[in-house]
Amino acid sequence: GQNIDQPTEMTATEGAIVQINCTYQTSGFNGLFWYQQHAGEAPTFLSYNVLDGLEEKGRFSSFLSRSKGYSYLLLKELQMKDSASYLCAVCYGGATNKLIFGTGTLLAVQP
Amino acid sequence: DGGITQSPKYLFRKEGQNVTLSCEQNLNHDAMYWYRQDPGQGLRLIYYSQIVNDFQKGDIAEGYSVSREKKESFPLTVTSAQKNPTAFYLCASTKNRGSYTGELFFGEGSRLTVL
């Protein structure tokens, strides 16, 4: 079956750097997404990786290693507003193009 | 501003009642999706539609029904056959039909509680 693993919770300090890991096992791979979701709100798109390597977008970066089935989201210069759940989602299945979400990592940023 | 509007935001239902959740988008997107979110679980796909008058079952379609009579609208009905309907429901859309190579745009969600 298809599977995504990410830590359930993480805590970090304002101004610091935090790395949220995501590992996956899927039948084929078409791309990996990271979304941010504040409590009771809609998920919002952060990044999309389809090739190996690091994609940087401001304070947020996302890394992908397809051979290892591994990705991470790196958040720099943490702010209190970064306290949210971070969802990893993998697009797989070749032409059928399906999407599976991880359970999300709840990040708490402390002063 | 373009976006996806879900209503109602909160809904209470008695057991045995059907309820319909509204989802409207003005992004001119072809594909629309309904997800269910429960604590400790990832988003799970209920139904999706890639084109008007056509829709497909997702992973957990039992007890739900949808329609896609207009490109902008994709309402979800939670029927009395759904055994555990209390959840947070999210509607989403993508620009290209059947493609996840573009980001999903989500609505604000509807929280359904069955009393």
Side-chain angles (χ1 to χ4, degrees):
Chain A
Q2 322 304 321
N3 189 55
I4 295 182
D5 287 313
Q6 43 179 142
T8 303
E9 295 181 355
M10 298 183 71
T11 302
T13 304
E14 192 175 15
I17 299 173
V18 70
Q19 177 174 313
I20 303 174
N21 295 326
C22 171
T23 58
Y24 62 90
Q25 299 92 37
T26 56
S27 304
F29 177 83
N30 295 343
L32 186 144
F33 295 86
W34 283 97
Y35 286 86
Q36 179 191 61
Q37 186 179 25
H38 287 97
E41 298 183 8
T44 54
F45 171 81
L46 291 177
S47 69
Y48 173 64
N49 293 71
V50 63
L51 299 176
D52 290 350
L54 188 68
E55 294 278 345
E56 297 187 77
K57 190 182 294 185
R59 293 190 299 115
F60 292 7
S61 302
S62 57
F63 172 83
L64 174 67
S65 170
R66 288 172 295 171
S67 62
K68 295 182 179 179
Y70 169 68
S71 173
Y72 67 72
L73 181 68
L74 194 70
L75 290 73
K76 303 175 185 176
E77 301 170 12
L78 280 172
Q79 302 176 8
M80 298 299 290
K81 67 178 182 179
D82 296 330
S83 293
S85 186
Y86 291 86
L87 312 179
C88 175
V90 174
C91 184
Y92 69 97
T96 60
N97 215 27
K98 298 184 178 182
L99 191 67
I100 180 172
F101 281 85
T103 57
T105 298
L106 184 60
L107 174 66
V109 179
Q110 299 179 339
Chain B
D1 288 338
I4 299 180
T5 301
Q6 288 187 239
S7 64
K9 193 173 178 68
Y10 299 96
L11 186 62
F12 297 89
R13 187 195 92 178
K14 293 182 179 179
E15 282 193 24
Q17 288 181 336
N18 291 355
V19 63
T20 297
L21 308 180
S22 170
C23 177
E24 303 278 334
Q25 55 99 359
N26 60 3
L27 299 167
N28 199 33
H29 283 178
D30 287 318
M32 298 186 73
Y33 310 82
W34 274 105
Y35 287 92
R36 170 180 172 142
Q37 188 172 36
D38 296 282
Q41 298 194 44
L43 273 68
R44 292 182 290 167
L45 182 64
I46 304 172
Y47 267 99
Y48 65 101
S49 169
Q50 300 185 30
I51 195 170
V52 174
N53 292 323
D54 185 56
F55 49 82
Q56 307 294 329
K57 292 182 178 179
D59 300 319
I60 54 165
E62 185 175 353
Y64 300 97
S65 65
V66 293
S67 63
R68 186 85 184 277
E69 297 177 2
K70 299 186 300 182
K71 186 176 185 178
E72 302 79 16
S73 179
F74 191 41
L76 173 75
T77 297
V78 185
T79 75
S80 57
Q82 168 52 231
K83 300 302 181 187
N84 186 22
T86 295
F88 189 51
Y89 291 88
L90 286 161
C91 180
S93 70
T94 55
K95 183 176 181 181
N96 299 317
R97 63 183 68 168
S99 172
Y100 284 114
T101 54
E103 64 186 271
L104 278 167
F105 289 82
F106 286 91
E108 293 293 318
S110 295
R111 186 166 297 281
L112 173 64
T113 302
V114 174
L115 304 174

